[in-house]
């Protein structure tokens, strides 16, 4: 195992104990573990990162990511760990750890235990940025089919400016200036976000650096997933520190090997 490094698809795990166990065993054997949070490597999103600063936006206080889809019967069962995980990872990359979430979800024609097809989450980060994440892949009408999967509407607001757009076109607006900045975006969500992720992993292995979305850091993303689900189930705001890495949170459709035996500890 020590000779094989790992690029793991998101979600990192549908079981929190398993996620912790994978991190521990990789660290024990010197295996580099990266999670394929490919939204963090979308060309259009990378293009705005130089503008996420006081110089252009002032103090950032709000961020939203909205994604509509076209799968009424969503094939991956739970949309929070399958799709909203992209946006959790992106907010984490840009603004740091989540502090608390309030989530509402619906399964269209089934319970959220059986699988949510839409979810809306208000969040606050530890840096006191407030925001909204919304995924709705339950629309059965033509209006819900107007955008492809990689069309995520992003808005970031600060005291001196804002950024808005999607992966194909982003705009930076500075208050008091007539000209907007439109960062050049030469590549697309598909396939370049995947290629950029793999290139980053290979560069890190070559240079002896930790990948941006490494396993240890991604445990926070898994905690946020379960905090959102707990919020949707209980109807209350959930602080991320309520989701202990030692507790057996699980959304897996089948028993998880290693999640409840000695391997997980």
């Amino acid at each position: 195992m020590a000779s094989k490094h790992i690029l793991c698809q998101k979600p990192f795990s549908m079981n929190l104990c398993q996620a912790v166990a994978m991190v521990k065993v990789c660290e024990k054997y010197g295996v580099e573990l990266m999670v394929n949070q490919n939204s963090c490597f979308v060309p259009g999103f990378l293009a705005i990162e130089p503008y996420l600063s006081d110089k252009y936006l002032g103090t950032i206080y709000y961020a939203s990511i909205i994604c509509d889809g076209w799968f009424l019967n969503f094939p991956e069962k739970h949309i929070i760990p399958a799709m909203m995980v992209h946006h959790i990872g992106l907010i984490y990359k840009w603004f740091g750890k989540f502090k608390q979430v309030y989530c509402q979800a619906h399964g269209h024609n089934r319970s959220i235990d059986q699988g949510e097809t839409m979810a809306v989450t208000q969040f606050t980060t530890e840096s006191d940025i407030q925001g909204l994440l919304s995924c709705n892949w339950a629309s059965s009408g033509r209006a819900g089919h107007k955008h492809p999967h990689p069309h995520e509407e992003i808005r970031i607001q600060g005291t001196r400016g804002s950024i808005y757009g999607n992966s194909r076109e982003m705009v930076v607006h500075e208050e008091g200036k007539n000209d907007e900045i439109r960062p050049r975006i030469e590549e697309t969500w598909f396939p370049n976000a995947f290629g950029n992720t793999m290139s980053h992993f290979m560069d890190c292995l070559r240079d002896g650096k930790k990948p941006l979305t490494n396993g240890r850091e991604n445990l926070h993303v898994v905690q946020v997933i379960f905090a959102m689900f707990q919020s949707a189930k209980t109807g209350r705001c959930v602080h991320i520190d309520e989701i202990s890495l030692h507790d057996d949170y699980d959304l897996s459709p089948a028993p998880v090997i290693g999640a409840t035996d000695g391997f997980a500890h």
Side-chain angles (χ1 to χ4, degrees):
M1 182 176 179
S3 63
K4 301 293 183 181
H5 300 290
I6 299 170
L7 176 60
C8 177
Q9 176 63 326
K10 60 79 195 166
F12 180 26
S13 177
M14 298 283 275
N15 179 285
L16 188 53
C17 285
Q18 184 190 56
V20 172
M22 287 191 288
V23 169
K24 287 182 177 180
V25 76
C26 286
E27 291 176 346
K28 178 180 179 180
Y29 290 101
V31 172
E32 199 60 70
L33 172 62
M34 179 180 175
V35 182
N36 184 30
Q37 293 276 172
N38 44 23
S39 276
C40 294
F41 300 93
V42 172
F45 303 158
L46 293 174
I48 66 170
E49 291 183 353
Y51 304 99
L52 295 174
S53 68
D54 180 77
K55 176 181 178 181
Y56 295 97
L57 304 183
T59 301
I60 298 172
Y61 61 86
Y62 175 81
S64 67
I65 305 176
I66 297 174
C67 177
D68 295 326
W70 24 237
F71 286 133
L72 178 59
N73 295 312
F74 191 64
E76 294 184 62
K77 189 176 180 182
H78 291 286
I79 199 169
I80 294 173
M83 280 305 304
M84 194 171 278
V85 64
H86 281 298
H87 311 140
I88 296 169
L90 199 54
I91 293 295
Y92 181 27
K93 177 190 180 187
W94 285 343
F95 306 120
K97 288 186 174 182
F98 287 70
K99 181 166 62 178
Q100 60 188 26
V101 296
Y102 175 70
C103 179
Q104 293 178 301
H106 202 280
H108 186 72
N109 57 1
R110 63 193 187 202
S111 71
I112 61 172
D113 283 322
Q114 295 172 312
E116 71 281 359
T117 53
M118 64 78 60
V120 179
T121 300
Q122 292 177 285
F123 67 85
T124 306
T125 68
E126 291 185 354
S127 56
D128 289 327
I129 291 173
Q130 301 175 52
L132 175 73
L133 301 180
S134 174
C135 280
N136 179 10
W137 279 29
S139 177
S140 58
R142 183 178 298 275
H145 296 211
K146 63 183 179 180
H147 296 311
H149 154 50
H151 186 99
E152 291 127 321
E153 295 285 351
I154 291 181
R155 181 172 293 274
I156 300 167
Q157 293 175 202
T159 54
R160 293 179 49 209
S162 63
I163 296 175
Y164 55 92
N166 57 70
S167 61
R168 293 171 292 186
E169 182 180 20
M170 302 295 297
V171 178
V172 182
H173 171 77
E174 297 178 83
E175 289 186 7
K177 295 187 178 182
N178 293 325
D179 294 333
E180 295 178 322
I181 300 172
R182 296 178 180 268
R184 188 173 181 179
I185 302 171
E186 296 182 339
E187 298 176 321
T188 59
W189 216 118
F190 291 106
N192 299 103
F194 292 87
N196 289 343
T197 302
M198 291 183 278
S199 293
H200 174 74
F201 190 41
M202 296 298 291
D203 289 345
C204 289
L205 295 178
R206 180 195 63 206
D207 299 335
K209 297 180 179 179
K210 278 286 181 186
L212 181 66
T213 56
N214 64 78
R216 172 65 65 180
E217 291 292 325
N218 207 254
L219 290 176
H220 178 70
V221 174
V222 181
Q223 284 179 293
V224 175
I225 288 172
F226 284 109
M228 288 181 178
F229 197 75
Q230 287 292 104
S231 177
K233 288 274 290 181
T234 62
R236 65 178 182 88
C237 179
V238 174
H239 287 251
I240 307 307
D241 59 13
E242 294 181 43
I243 308 299
S244 171
L245 293 176
H246 302 292
D247 290 338
D248 189 22
Y249 292 96
D250 183 60
L251 287 173
S252 302
V256 177
I257 297 174
T260 56
D261 58 24
F263 175 74
H265 305 289

